[in-house]
mmCIF file of all heavy atoms in Angstrom:
data_model
loop_
_atom_site.group_PDB
_atom_site.id
_atom_site.type_symbol
_atom_site.label_atom_id
_atom_site.label_comp_id
_atom_site.label_asym_id
_atom_site.label_seq_id
_atom_site.Cartn_x
_atom_site.Cartn_y
_atom_site.Cartn_z
ATOM 1 N N LEU N 1 -5.168 121.792 90.487
ATOM 2 C CA LEU N 1 -3.974 121.259 89.836
ATOM 3 C C LEU N 1 -3.499 122.227 88.759
ATOM 4 O O LEU N 1 -4.292 122.688 87.933
ATOM 5 C CB LEU N 1 -4.271 119.895 89.214
ATOM 6 C CG LEU N 1 -4.704 118.789 90.176
ATOM 7 C CD1 LEU N 1 -5.038 117.516 89.400
ATOM 8 C CD2 LEU N 1 -3.624 118.515 91.207
ATOM 9 N N SER N 2 -2.211 122.525 88.764
ATOM 10 C CA SER N 2 -1.634 123.427 87.778
ATOM 11 C C SER N 2 -0.153 123.101 87.639
ATOM 12 O O SER N 2 0.381 122.259 88.370
ATOM 13 C CB SER N 2 -1.825 124.883 88.199
ATOM 14 O OG SER N 2 -1.191 125.122 89.449
ATOM 15 N N VAL N 3 0.508 123.763 86.692
ATOM 16 C CA VAL N 3 1.942 123.576 86.534
ATOM 17 C C VAL N 3 2.631 123.932 87.854
ATOM 18 O O VAL N 3 2.371 124.974 88.447
ATOM 19 C CB VAL N 3 2.483 124.450 85.389
ATOM 20 C CG1 VAL N 3 4.005 124.421 85.354
ATOM 21 C CG2 VAL N 3 1.920 123.980 84.047
ATOM 22 N N GLY N 4 3.486 123.025 88.327
ATOM 23 C CA GLY N 4 4.158 123.222 89.606
ATOM 24 C C GLY N 4 3.544 122.453 90.758
ATOM 25 O O GLY N 4 4.177 122.296 91.805
ATOM 26 N N THR N 5 2.320 121.944 90.587
ATOM 27 C CA THR N 5 1.680 121.161 91.646
ATOM 28 C C THR N 5 2.477 119.886 91.898
ATOM 29 O O THR N 5 2.947 119.231 90.966
ATOM 30 C CB THR N 5 0.237 120.789 91.258
ATOM 31 O OG1 THR N 5 -0.536 121.982 91.151
ATOM 32 C CG2 THR N 5 -0.403 119.882 92.303
ATOM 33 N N ARG N 6 2.622 119.542 93.169
ATOM 34 C CA ARG N 6 3.314 118.319 93.575
ATOM 35 C C ARG N 6 2.309 117.372 94.205
ATOM 36 O O ARG N 6 1.486 117.785 95.026
ATOM 37 C CB ARG N 6 4.425 118.629 94.584
ATOM 38 C CG ARG N 6 5.434 119.646 94.126
ATOM 39 C CD ARG N 6 6.420 119.974 95.224
ATOM 40 N NE ARG N 6 7.330 118.866 95.460
ATOM 41 C CZ ARG N 6 8.520 118.733 94.875
ATOM 42 N NH1 ARG N 6 8.954 119.662 94.035
ATOM 43 N NH2 ARG N 6 9.307 117.706 95.135
ATOM 44 N N LEU N 7 2.394 116.092 93.824
ATOM 45 C CA LEU N 7 1.545 115.059 94.407
ATOM 46 C C LEU N 7 2.408 113.836 94.713
ATOM 47 O O LEU N 7 3.431 113.616 94.059
ATOM 48 C CB LEU N 7 0.417 114.667 93.441
ATOM 49 C CG LEU N 7 -0.638 115.730 93.139
ATOM 50 C CD1 LEU N 7 -1.630 115.203 92.108
ATOM 51 C CD2 LEU N 7 -1.370 116.175 94.404
ATOM 52 N N PRO N 8 2.012 113.028 95.691
ATOM 53 C CA PRO N 8 2.821 111.842 96.033
ATOM 54 C C PRO N 8 2.852 110.839 94.887
ATOM 55 O O PRO N 8 1.806 110.415 94.395
ATOM 56 C CB PRO N 8 2.109 111.283 97.266
ATOM 57 C CG PRO N 8 0.726 111.848 97.223
ATOM 58 C CD PRO N 8 0.845 113.185 96.578
ATOM 59 N N ALA N 9 4.049 110.473 94.470
ATOM 60 C CA ALA N 9 4.205 109.601 93.306
ATOM 61 C C ALA N 9 3.543 108.244 93.504
ATOM 62 O O ALA N 9 3.017 107.658 92.558
ATOM 63 C CB ALA N 9 5.692 109.420 92.995
ATOM 64 N N ALA N 10 3.551 107.732 94.728
ATOM 65 C CA ALA N 10 3.020 106.392 94.977
ATOM 66 C C ALA N 10 1.532 106.295 94.708
ATOM 67 O O ALA N 10 1.017 105.195 94.478
ATOM 68 C CB ALA N 10 3.310 105.985 96.421
ATOM 69 N N TYR N 11 0.822 107.422 94.718
ATOM 70 C CA TYR N 11 -0.633 107.384 94.617
ATOM 71 C C TYR N 11 -1.169 108.061 93.365
ATOM 72 O O TYR N 11 -2.344 108.397 93.294
ATOM 73 C CB TYR N 11 -1.245 108.017 95.874
ATOM 74 C CG TYR N 11 -0.917 107.206 97.108
ATOM 75 C CD1 TYR N 11 0.046 107.636 98.010
ATOM 76 C CD2 TYR N 11 -1.541 105.984 97.340
ATOM 77 C CE1 TYR N 11 0.370 106.881 99.126
ATOM 78 C CE2 TYR N 11 -1.227 105.223 98.442
ATOM 79 C CZ TYR N 11 -0.270 105.665 99.333
ATOM 80 O OH TYR N 11 0.051 104.891 100.426
ATOM 81 N N THR N 12 -0.311 108.248 92.372
ATOM 82 C CA THR N 12 -0.741 108.815 91.097
ATOM 83 C C THR N 12 -0.305 107.900 89.964
ATOM 84 O O THR N 12 0.722 107.233 90.059
ATOM 85 C CB THR N 12 -0.130 110.214 90.871
ATOM 86 O OG1 THR N 12 1.289 110.108 90.822
ATOM 87 C CG2 THR N 12 -0.528 111.173 91.989
ATOM 88 N N SER N 13 -1.071 107.887 88.895
ATOM 89 C CA SER N 13 -0.714 107.032 87.756
ATOM 90 C C SER N 13 0.592 107.494 87.126
ATOM 91 O O SER N 13 1.439 106.668 86.759
ATOM 92 C CB SER N 13 -1.853 107.035 86.726
ATOM 93 O OG SER N 13 -2.127 108.349 86.262
ATOM 94 N N MET N 14 0.789 108.800 87.000
ATOM 95 C CA MET N 14 2.053 109.291 86.435
ATOM 96 C C MET N 14 3.215 108.950 87.348
ATOM 97 O O MET N 14 4.301 108.575 86.883
ATOM 98 C CB MET N 14 1.973 110.799 86.202
ATOM 99 C CG MET N 14 1.047 111.203 85.070
ATOM 100 S SD MET N 14 1.113 112.965 84.640
ATOM 101 C CE MET N 14 0.353 113.708 86.094
ATOM 102 N N GLY N 15 3.001 109.066 88.653
ATOM 103 C CA GLY N 15 4.060 108.733 89.594
ATOM 104 C C GLY N 15 4.489 107.284 89.493
ATOM 105 O O GLY N 15 5.691 106.971 89.511
ATOM 106 N N ARG N 16 3.538 106.387 89.380
ATOM 107 C CA ARG N 16 3.879 104.967 89.288
ATOM 108 C C ARG N 16 4.586 104.640 87.978
ATOM 109 O O ARG N 16 5.492 103.801 87.945
ATOM 110 C CB ARG N 16 2.619 104.120 89.477
ATOM 111 C CG ARG N 16 2.112 104.164 90.913
ATOM 112 C CD ARG N 16 0.905 103.283 91.150
ATOM 113 N NE ARG N 16 0.459 103.402 92.534
ATOM 114 C CZ ARG N 16 -0.645 102.854 93.027
ATOM 115 N NH1 ARG N 16 -1.428 102.129 92.221
ATOM 116 N NH2 ARG N 16 -0.978 103.022 94.292
ATOM 117 N N VAL N 17 4.187 105.304 86.911
ATOM 118 C CA VAL N 17 4.892 105.114 85.641
ATOM 119 C C VAL N 17 6.350 105.545 85.778
ATOM 120 O O VAL N 17 7.274 104.839 85.328
ATOM 121 C CB VAL N 17 4.194 105.917 84.518
ATOM 122 C CG1 VAL N 17 5.115 106.086 83.316
ATOM 123 C CG2 VAL N 17 2.911 105.219 84.093
ATOM 124 N N LEU N 18 6.573 106.689 86.410
ATOM 125 C CA LEU N 18 7.931 107.209 86.548
ATOM 126 C C LEU N 18 8.755 106.375 87.518
ATOM 127 O O LEU N 18 9.940 106.118 87.281
ATOM 128 C CB LEU N 18 7.876 108.666 87.002
ATOM 129 C CG LEU N 18 7.251 109.629 85.987
ATOM 130 C CD1 LEU N 18 7.002 110.995 86.609
ATOM 131 C CD2 LEU N 18 8.127 109.762 84.744
ATOM 132 N N LEU N 19 8.151 105.931 88.603
ATOM 133 C CA LEU N 19 8.860 105.063 89.544
ATOM 134 C C LEU N 19 9.262 103.757 88.865
ATOM 135 O O LEU N 19 10.361 103.236 89.082
ATOM 136 C CB LEU N 19 7.987 104.772 90.762
ATOM 137 C CG LEU N 19 7.744 105.929 91.732
ATOM 138 C CD1 LEU N 19 6.682 105.540 92.765
ATOM 139 C CD2 LEU N 19 9.035 106.343 92.433
ATOM 140 N N ALA N 20 8.367 103.230 88.038
ATOM 141 C CA ALA N 20 8.644 101.960 87.363
ATOM 142 C C ALA N 20 9.770 102.073 86.348
ATOM 143 O O ALA N 20 10.376 101.060 85.978
ATOM 144 C CB ALA N 20 7.376 101.457 86.672
ATOM 145 N N GLN N 21 10.091 103.284 85.912
ATOM 146 C CA GLN N 21 11.172 103.484 84.944
ATOM 147 C C GLN N 21 12.543 103.583 85.601
ATOM 148 O O GLN N 21 13.566 103.563 84.913
ATOM 149 C CB GLN N 21 10.912 104.766 84.132
ATOM 150 C CG GLN N 21 9.724 104.688 83.190
ATOM 151 C CD GLN N 21 9.935 103.685 82.076
ATOM 152 O OE1 GLN N 21 11.023 103.569 81.538
ATOM 153 N NE2 GLN N 21 8.886 102.951 81.723
ATOM 154 N N LEU N 22 12.583 103.704 86.928
ATOM 155 C CA LEU N 22 13.861 103.847 87.618
ATOM 156 C C LEU N 22 14.648 102.542 87.608
ATOM 157 O O LEU N 22 14.061 101.453 87.672
ATOM 158 C CB LEU N 22 13.627 104.272 89.075
ATOM 159 C CG LEU N 22 13.086 105.675 89.332
ATOM 160 C CD1 LEU N 22 12.791 105.846 90.818
ATOM 161 C CD2 LEU N 22 14.075 106.725 88.855
ATOM 162 N N PRO N 23 15.977 102.611 87.566
ATOM 163 C CA PRO N 23 16.786 101.420 87.800
ATOM 164 C C PRO N 23 16.444 100.843 89.174
ATOM 165 O O PRO N 23 16.105 101.584 90.111
ATOM 166 C CB PRO N 23 18.225 101.951 87.761
ATOM 167 C CG PRO N 23 18.141 103.219 86.979
ATOM 168 C CD PRO N 23 16.799 103.803 87.272
ATOM 169 N N GLN N 24 16.538 99.534 89.311
ATOM 170 C CA GLN N 24 16.070 98.871 90.528
ATOM 171 C C GLN N 24 16.742 99.416 91.790
ATOM 172 O O GLN N 24 16.075 99.638 92.810
ATOM 173 C CB GLN N 24 16.309 97.360 90.431
ATOM 174 C CG GLN N 24 15.621 96.569 91.540
ATOM 175 C CD GLN N 24 14.103 96.728 91.505
ATOM 176 O OE1 GLN N 24 13.479 96.534 90.459
ATOM 177 N NE2 GLN N 24 13.512 97.097 92.631
ATOM 178 N N ALA N 25 18.041 99.655 91.735
ATOM 179 C CA ALA N 25 18.745 100.152 92.923
ATOM 180 C C ALA N 25 18.242 101.531 93.320
ATOM 181 O O ALA N 25 18.056 101.819 94.514
ATOM 182 C CB ALA N 25 20.246 100.187 92.674
ATOM 183 N N ASN N 26 18.005 102.405 92.339
ATOM 184 C CA ASN N 26 17.478 103.732 92.627
ATOM 185 C C ASN N 26 16.066 103.659 93.204
ATOM 186 O O ASN N 26 15.711 104.391 94.134
ATOM 187 C CB ASN N 26 17.472 104.590 91.366
ATOM 188 C CG ASN N 26 18.850 104.910 90.867
ATOM 189 O OD1 ASN N 26 19.753 104.089 90.957
ATOM 190 N ND2 ASN N 26 19.038 106.104 90.345
ATOM 191 N N LEU N 27 15.269 102.762 92.628
ATOM 192 C CA LEU N 27 13.909 102.593 93.118
ATOM 193 C C LEU N 27 13.911 102.101 94.557
ATOM 194 O O LEU N 27 13.164 102.611 95.406
ATOM 195 C CB LEU N 27 13.140 101.621 92.227
ATOM 196 C CG LEU N 27 11.723 101.271 92.679
ATOM 197 C CD1 LEU N 27 10.839 102.510 92.739
ATOM 198 C CD2 LEU N 27 11.105 100.221 91.748
ATOM 199 N N ASP N 28 14.742 101.120 94.860
ATOM 200 C CA ASP N 28 14.808 100.586 96.229
ATOM 201 C C ASP N 28 15.152 101.687 97.222
ATOM 202 O O ASP N 28 14.556 101.780 98.308
ATOM 203 C CB ASP N 28 15.839 99.463 96.317
ATOM 204 C CG ASP N 28 15.402 98.199 95.581
ATOM 205 O OD1 ASP N 28 14.186 98.073 95.325
ATOM 206 O OD2 ASP N 28 16.265 97.371 95.255
ATOM 207 N N SER N 29 16.111 102.525 96.871
ATOM 208 C CA SER N 29 16.518 103.602 97.767
ATOM 209 C C SER N 29 15.390 104.602 97.974
ATOM 210 O O SER N 29 15.132 105.053 99.094
ATOM 211 C CB SER N 29 17.744 104.319 97.208
ATOM 212 O OG SER N 29 18.130 105.378 98.039
ATOM 213 N N LEU N 30 14.674 104.922 96.903
ATOM 214 C CA LEU N 30 13.589 105.894 96.996
ATOM 215 C C LEU N 30 12.434 105.345 97.830
ATOM 216 O O LEU N 30 11.845 106.063 98.652
ATOM 217 C CB LEU N 30 13.106 106.268 95.598
ATOM 218 C CG LEU N 30 12.290 107.556 95.464
ATOM 219 C CD1 LEU N 30 13.092 108.750 95.946
ATOM 220 C CD2 LEU N 30 11.846 107.754 94.027
ATOM 221 N N LEU N 31 12.107 104.081 97.634
ATOM 222 C CA LEU N 31 11.000 103.488 98.386
ATOM 223 C C LEU N 31 11.297 103.452 99.884
ATOM 224 O O LEU N 31 10.382 103.538 100.702
ATOM 225 C CB LEU N 31 10.699 102.083 97.866
ATOM 226 C CG LEU N 31 10.114 101.988 96.452
ATOM 227 C CD1 LEU N 31 9.862 100.540 96.067
ATOM 228 C CD2 LEU N 31 8.826 102.797 96.334
ATOM 229 N N GLN N 32 12.568 103.325 100.229
ATOM 230 C CA GLN N 32 12.930 103.316 101.644
ATOM 231 C C GLN N 32 12.618 104.644 102.322
ATOM 232 O O GLN N 32 12.375 104.685 103.529
ATOM 233 C CB GLN N 32 14.418 102.988 101.803
ATOM 234 C CG GLN N 32 14.774 101.551 101.493
ATOM 235 C CD GLN N 32 16.274 101.298 101.527
ATOM 236 O OE1 GLN N 32 17.052 102.151 101.961
ATOM 237 N NE2 GLN N 32 16.690 100.134 101.070
ATOM 238 N N SER N 33 12.620 105.718 101.557
ATOM 239 C CA SER N 33 12.336 107.036 102.126
ATOM 240 C C SER N 33 10.881 107.444 101.961
ATOM 241 O O SER N 33 10.501 108.556 102.332
ATOM 242 C CB SER N 33 13.231 108.092 101.456
ATOM 243 O OG SER N 33 12.901 108.215 100.077
ATOM 244 N N MET N 34 10.064 106.566 101.431
ATOM 245 C CA MET N 34 8.678 106.894 101.111
ATOM 246 C C MET N 34 7.737 106.484 102.237
ATOM 247 O O MET N 34 7.865 105.407 102.811
ATOM 248 C CB MET N 34 8.289 106.184 99.805
ATOM 249 C CG MET N 34 6.966 106.612 99.219
ATOM 250 S SD MET N 34 6.701 105.816 97.602
ATOM 251 C CE MET N 34 7.912 106.694 96.592
ATOM 252 N N GLU N 35 6.806 107.351 102.536
ATOM 253 C CA GLU N 35 5.795 107.057 103.555
ATOM 254 C C GLU N 35 4.477 106.740 102.867
ATOM 255 O O GLU N 35 3.954 107.532 102.081
ATOM 256 C CB GLU N 35 5.606 108.260 104.477
ATOM 257 C CG GLU N 35 4.532 108.057 105.533
ATOM 258 C CD GLU N 35 4.273 109.289 106.378
ATOM 259 O OE1 GLU N 35 4.987 110.302 106.191
ATOM 260 O OE2 GLU N 35 3.349 109.259 107.203
ATOM 261 N N LEU N 36 3.942 105.564 103.137
ATOM 262 C CA LEU N 36 2.666 105.172 102.569
ATOM 263 C C LEU N 36 1.562 105.423 103.595
ATOM 264 O O LEU N 36 1.701 105.064 104.768
ATOM 265 C CB LEU N 36 2.679 103.693 102.184
ATOM 266 C CG LEU N 36 3.721 103.259 101.155
ATOM 267 C CD1 LEU N 36 3.561 101.780 100.821
ATOM 268 C CD2 LEU N 36 3.623 104.112 99.885
ATOM 269 N N ARG N 37 0.479 106.043 103.151
ATOM 270 C CA ARG N 37 -0.647 106.270 104.066
ATOM 271 C C ARG N 37 -1.949 106.223 103.283
ATOM 272 O O ARG N 37 -1.964 106.430 102.057
ATOM 273 C CB ARG N 37 -0.516 107.599 104.788
ATOM 274 C CG ARG N 37 -0.609 108.841 103.924
ATOM 275 C CD ARG N 37 -0.376 110.084 104.751
ATOM 276 N NE ARG N 37 -0.539 111.316 103.997
ATOM 277 C CZ ARG N 37 -1.699 111.974 103.869
ATOM 278 N NH1 ARG N 37 -2.801 111.470 104.439
ATOM 279 N NH2 ARG N 37 -1.768 113.092 103.180
ATOM 280 N N ALA N 38 -3.011 105.978 103.979
ATOM 281 C CA ALA N 38 -4.319 105.811 103.348
ATOM 282 C C ALA N 38 -4.960 107.172 103.086
ATOM 283 O O ALA N 38 -5.529 107.791 103.984
ATOM 284 C CB ALA N 38 -5.216 104.959 104.227
ATOM 285 N N HIS N 39 -4.862 107.632 101.841
ATOM 286 C CA HIS N 39 -5.559 108.860 101.460
ATOM 287 C C HIS N 39 -7.048 108.599 101.298
ATOM 288 O O HIS N 39 -7.873 109.479 101.548
ATOM 289 C CB HIS N 39 -4.991 109.396 100.143
ATOM 290 C CG HIS N 39 -3.544 109.788 100.232
ATOM 291 N ND1 HIS N 39 -3.124 111.031 100.640
ATOM 292 C CD2 HIS N 39 -2.412 109.083 99.970
ATOM 293 C CE1 HIS N 39 -1.801 111.088 100.619
ATOM 294 N NE2 HIS N 39 -1.349 109.924 100.216
ATOM 295 N N THR N 40 -7.384 107.384 100.862
ATOM 296 C CA THR N 40 -8.771 106.943 100.719
ATOM 297 C C THR N 40 -8.825 105.468 101.122
ATOM 298 O O THR N 40 -7.783 104.827 101.305
ATOM 299 C CB THR N 40 -9.265 107.078 99.258
ATOM 300 O OG1 THR N 40 -8.729 105.994 98.480
ATOM 301 C CG2 THR N 40 -8.864 108.407 98.643
ATOM 302 N N PRO N 41 -10.013 104.888 101.224
ATOM 303 C CA PRO N 41 -10.096 103.449 101.525
ATOM 304 C C PRO N 41 -9.472 102.563 100.450
ATOM 305 O O PRO N 41 -9.220 101.383 100.694
ATOM 306 C CB PRO N 41 -11.609 103.206 101.624
ATOM 307 C CG PRO N 41 -12.194 104.530 101.975
ATOM 308 C CD PRO N 41 -11.338 105.535 101.266
ATOM 309 N N HIS N 42 -9.196 103.127 99.267
ATOM 310 C CA HIS N 42 -8.645 102.335 98.163
ATOM 311 C C HIS N 42 -7.120 102.395 98.098
ATOM 312 O O HIS N 42 -6.512 101.720 97.269
ATOM 313 C CB HIS N 42 -9.210 102.841 96.826
ATOM 314 C CG HIS N 42 -10.697 102.883 96.765
ATOM 315 N ND1 HIS N 42 -11.472 101.767 96.613
ATOM 316 C CD2 HIS N 42 -11.568 103.933 96.851
ATOM 317 C CE1 HIS N 42 -12.753 102.103 96.595
ATOM 318 N NE2 HIS N 42 -12.834 103.413 96.742
ATOM 319 N N SER N 43 -6.489 103.190 98.941
ATOM 320 C CA SER N 43 -5.042 103.423 98.842
ATOM 321 C C SER N 43 -4.232 102.187 99.216
ATOM 322 O O SER N 43 -4.539 101.505 100.190
ATOM 323 C CB SER N 43 -4.628 104.572 99.774
ATOM 324 O OG SER N 43 -5.315 105.761 99.469
ATOM 325 N N LEU N 44 -3.172 101.946 98.435
ATOM 326 C CA LEU N 44 -2.195 100.923 98.808
ATOM 327 C C LEU N 44 -1.364 101.441 99.985
ATOM 328 O O LEU N 44 -0.815 102.537 99.921
ATOM 329 C CB LEU N 44 -1.257 100.621 97.642
ATOM 330 C CG LEU N 44 -1.751 99.709 96.521
ATOM 331 C CD1 LEU N 44 -0.656 99.551 95.474
ATOM 332 C CD2 LEU N 44 -2.142 98.367 97.065
#
């Protein structure tokens, strides 16, 4: 991990904080384009 590293927002604490700050309409649109997959047995 370094400056410039990209990680899926849905599976990181920082990503969820930032997603939660979006206006609801923007969030809905973004979630529609998001692919959820099991990175580990604990993944949503």
Side-chain angles (χ1 to χ4, degrees):
L1 299 177
S2 60
V3 171
T5 295
R6 305 175 71 93
L7 293 177
Y11 295 104
T12 62
S13 59
M14 290 188 291
R16 290 183 181 173
V17 163
L18 295 170
L19 289 171
Q21 292 294 321
L22 291 174
Q24 191 62 51
N26 293 36
L27 176 61
D28 290 341
S29 179
L30 198 59
L31 292 180
Q32 289 174 10
S33 65
M34 190 175 289
E35 178 184 356
L36 300 183
R37 66 184 184 90
H39 297 273
T40 77
H42 306 284
S43 302
L44 281 180

